[in-house]
Amino acid sequence: MDFVRSKRYGTIIIYIAGKVMVYLTAVMYLLTIASLVYKEDMRFIRIIAVPAASFVVLSVYRAKYNAIRPYEKYNFKPLFPKDTCGKSFPSRHVFSIFICAGAVSFIYPLPGIIIYIMGVLLAAIRVISGIHFPKDVIAGALAGILCSIAGFSNL
């Protein structure tokens, strides 16, 4: 974090990069749904339902587990404004980008691969920024991948 903070626009660049990846993923995911609806391809229901149900299950688990965040444990200011206490494990941001990558990749492989790459970068940003521990983002990515496999493998 000190390295990022030492650069003139380091924090802003990392923050914007994370936001851009999240928004690009959302756009690609929504375009995938729209294309399926346009084609009258009923797989759009599963492309919506699997991530939605998985997100709810992950959120319930995360709230019950209630792991503290790095900035709470080590008492420092994260790179981005964040005042959430607990609910660190697993990372929902990383889970969401990975399950969206899975949903998209089962319909359109190349955009899905691009989202997976953005997922890895987002995971690194979440750790570098002090918002999550490495185990949080790894668990989020694995949960997203496993839910994708379970939900989309026979599409």
Side-chain angles (χ1 to χ4, degrees):
M1 287 190 332
D2 290 338
F3 175 78
V4 173
R5 283 189 174 119
S6 72
K7 302 303 173 196
R8 185 171 185 179
Y9 298 108
T11 301
I12 292 170
I13 290 169
I14 296 292
Y15 180 78
I16 291 172
K19 290 291 184 188
V20 165
M21 286 185 275
V22 168
Y23 291 127
L24 278 176
T25 297
V27 167
M28 292 166 82
Y29 174 67
L30 292 172
L31 286 173
T32 300
I33 293 168
S35 75
L36 292 173
V37 170
Y38 178 76
K39 294 175 189 175
E40 298 180 2
D41 185 333
M42 296 308 291
R43 293 181 297 176
F44 84 89
I45 294 169
R46 194 187 241 168
I47 295 297
I48 294 169
V50 169
S54 300
F55 185 84
V56 169
V57 170
L58 184 102
S59 295
V60 168
Y61 171 79
R62 189 172 109 131
K64 289 188 183 288
Y65 189 74
N66 200 24
I68 67 169
R69 294 175 178 271
Y71 60 83
E72 292 176 279
K73 183 173 183 175
Y74 298 112
N75 197 27
F76 64 85
K77 184 179 176 187
L79 283 183
F80 315 136
K82 190 82 173 159
D83 57 1
T84 305
C85 293
K87 300 178 185 171
S88 180
F89 181 86
S91 168
R92 254 191 333 205
H93 273 83
V94 174
F95 166 79
S96 296
I97 202 167
F98 272 85
I99 197 155
C100 286
V104 171
S105 69
F106 278 103
I107 306 299
Y108 302 113
L110 182 58
I113 291 168
I114 292 167
I115 298 172
Y116 277 122
I117 292 167
M118 289 192 299
V120 171
L121 296 172
L122 182 66
I125 286 172
R126 303 295 286 179
V127 172
I128 290 167
S129 65
I131 294 172
H132 283 291
F133 290 105
K135 68 180 173 80
D136 302 338
V137 298
I138 291 168
L142 288 174
I145 291 167
L146 292 174
C147 288
S148 293
I149 292 168
F152 304 124
S153 62
N154 63 350
L155 269 180

